[in-house]
Amino acid sequence: MINIENLEYIYPSGKHALKNINLTIQKGEFVAIVGRNGSGKSTFAGVVSGLMKPTKGAVFVNGINTKSKKNFIELRKTLGMVFQNPENQIVFEKVKDDIAFGLRNLNFTDTEIDKRIEEISKTMGIEDFIDSFELSMGQKQRVAIASVLAMNPQCIVFDEPTAMLDPKGKKDIQNIVTDLHKSGLTVVYVTNVIDEVLPADRIVVIENGSIKAEIKKQELFDNIEKMKSFGLEIPMIMDLLHTLKQKGIDIFVKKWSVDDVADNIYAYIKGSDV
Ligand SMILES: Nc1ncnc2c1ncn2[C@@H]1O[C@H](COP(=O)(O)OP(=O)(O)O)[C@@H](O)[C@H]1O
Ligand SMILES: [Mg+2]
């Protein structure tokens, strides 16, 4: 789905923000990008989504070179981007106009636009505020995602989409992203909230503009010390089970949701398998 080859990005200021990045993201994969502030995550998201052009190397999305002006519309229909601050993404005050705007830019007809808006508002649960002006940050982020989804992309790049939301808003967006991935969307999810990596298939650690490590979800629990050595925090439920393991209580967990882990602990205490 996405091929990144020898990518370098240098800002006009001379800041060398991305260095020698090589990465392939498969169709349907959920890749979390983590790293400290200033490590290059937003630059990565901007370059991968084609908003910024590589200084060296190339990014291909379904074979489309993001540098190609000719294929720009095709690229926008294939891959969307959701930013940290929904207010930077929402152009119009009214939700409907905002979703329509992106579609109009991609030459959709009015009939198609109306149909898409109806479908997408249902999927995103935003029917109640489709005609309103005043939205909470969380609602705005849903609208931003809806505007991108309306184009029916195969992939969405999220750049810390929950950073500005309250706890309920954060949970909502996390659930939406997980559902989108389950429905087949390719997800590139930039975060510095370690608990948000749990639904990802693979975690890519960026440090100082380079890829420092790639860890598959199944390997994460066995790489806790390595993660810590990168200065990364560990998802709380993993840390808990890791600490229990060091105390000789080895609980086998397949899925890292609170519910699943609780079931496994319960089964351990009761002396049976789940
Ligand atoms: N527009 C810009 N001009 C120059 N340097 C920038 C610009 N945006 C970001 N940087 C620098 O590039 C590096 C990576 O930034 P960024 O990609 O925003 O990191 P992150 O999203 O991981 O916090 C930082 O050192 C940052 O100061
Ligand atoms: Mg950033």
Side-chain angles (χ1 to χ4, degrees):
M1 172 91 228
I2 301 177
N3 279 310
I4 303 169
E5 295 173 2
N6 304 318
L7 170 67
E8 308 272 327
Y9 189 84
I10 305 175
Y11 280 104
S13 68
K15 171 77 198 176
H16 202 153
L18 296 176
K19 296 163 200 159
N20 194 28
I21 298 218
N22 287 285
L23 189 70
T24 300
I25 294 173
Q26 305 297 338
K27 192 168 172 4
E29 204 182 358
F30 184 149
V31 176
I33 310 288
V34 300
R36 289 175 232 258
N37 278 342
S39 56
K41 303 183 300 299
S42 292
T43 311
F44 177 85
V47 177
V48 169
S49 58
L51 302 178
M52 289 145 70
K53 308 298 174 202
T55 309
K56 271 196 211 152
V59 176
F60 297 92
V61 176
N62 269 357
I64 305 171
N65 188 328
T66 60
K67 270 189 180 163
S68 150
K69 290 203 176 80
K70 190 175 89 217
N71 292 324
F72 182 73
I73 291 192
E74 200 49 41
L75 175 67
R76 277 286 68 85
K77 285 184 182 169
T78 311
L79 181 147
M81 173 145 177
V82 173
F83 302 90
Q84 186 173 81
N85 185 348
E87 286 176 350
N88 293 341
Q89 186 145 4
I90 295 173
V91 185
F92 292 95
E93 276 187 88
K94 231 174 156 182
V95 172
K96 228 179 198 162
D97 297 335
D98 203 78
I99 302 179
F101 175 69
L103 291 170
R104 215 162 271 137
N105 276 344
L106 298 185
N107 305 328
F108 281 83
T109 65
D110 284 350
T111 329
E112 274 172 329
I113 292 176
D114 285 344
K115 193 166 153 260
R116 286 280 173 105
I117 291 180
E118 203 187 310
E119 283 169 6
I120 218 70
S121 345
K122 268 197 208 127
T123 334
M124 291 295 293
I126 57 173
E127 300 116 302
D128 291 346
F129 45 90
I130 193 91
D131 286 312
S132 50
F133 295 90
E134 292 205 5
L135 305 180
S136 71
M137 258 327 199
Q139 288 172 327
K140 283 183 186 167
Q141 195 57 294
R142 276 195 200 208
V143 170
I145 297 176
S147 303
V148 169
L149 275 181
M151 314 202 197
N152 207 9
Q154 294 172 34
C155 174
I156 301 186
V157 178
F158 294 87
D159 187 7
E160 300 194 39
T162 63
M164 308 193 63
L165 312 186
D166 61 19
K168 161 130 190 1
K170 285 188 203 300
K171 200 81 221 142
D172 273 356
I173 298 300
Q174 286 164 19
N175 289 338
I176 287 169
V177 174
T178 308
D179 288 347
L180 288 173
H181 172 236
K182 280 188 190 143
S183 74
L185 197 88
T186 307
V187 174
V188 179
Y189 192 93
V190 171
T191 181
N192 65 9
V193 182
I194 201 68
D195 281 313
E196 293 192 352
V197 309
L198 288 173
D201 300 313
R202 185 157 50 125
I203 293 140
V204 173
V205 184
I206 296 193
E207 198 172 280
N208 210 0
S210 303
I211 294 182
K212 186 83 184 282
E214 283 181 51
I215 303 169
K216 290 200 189 99
K217 195 224 289 277
Q218 311 88 280
E219 298 166 354
L220 189 58
F221 188 63
D222 295 323
N223 279 282
I224 285 186
E225 295 308 329
K226 190 169 155 195
M227 296 277 288
K228 284 185 175 166
S229 74
F230 297 139
L232 289 168
E233 289 193 42
I234 305 300
M236 208 193 288
I237 41 178
M238 279 196 176
D239 213 4
L240 172 69
L241 288 206
H242 182 67
T243 311
L244 284 173
K245 194 173 176 180
Q246 286 170 332
K247 292 179 192 296
I249 299 174
D250 197 355
I251 297 171
F252 180 72
V253 170
K254 256 198 237 158
K255 281 188 176 169
W256 290 99
S257 76
V258 170
D259 276 350
D260 286 303
V261 173
D263 283 348
N264 285 290
I265 294 177
Y266 180 82
Y268 181 91
I269 294 168
K270 291 280 176 188
S272 62
D273 287 330
V274 178

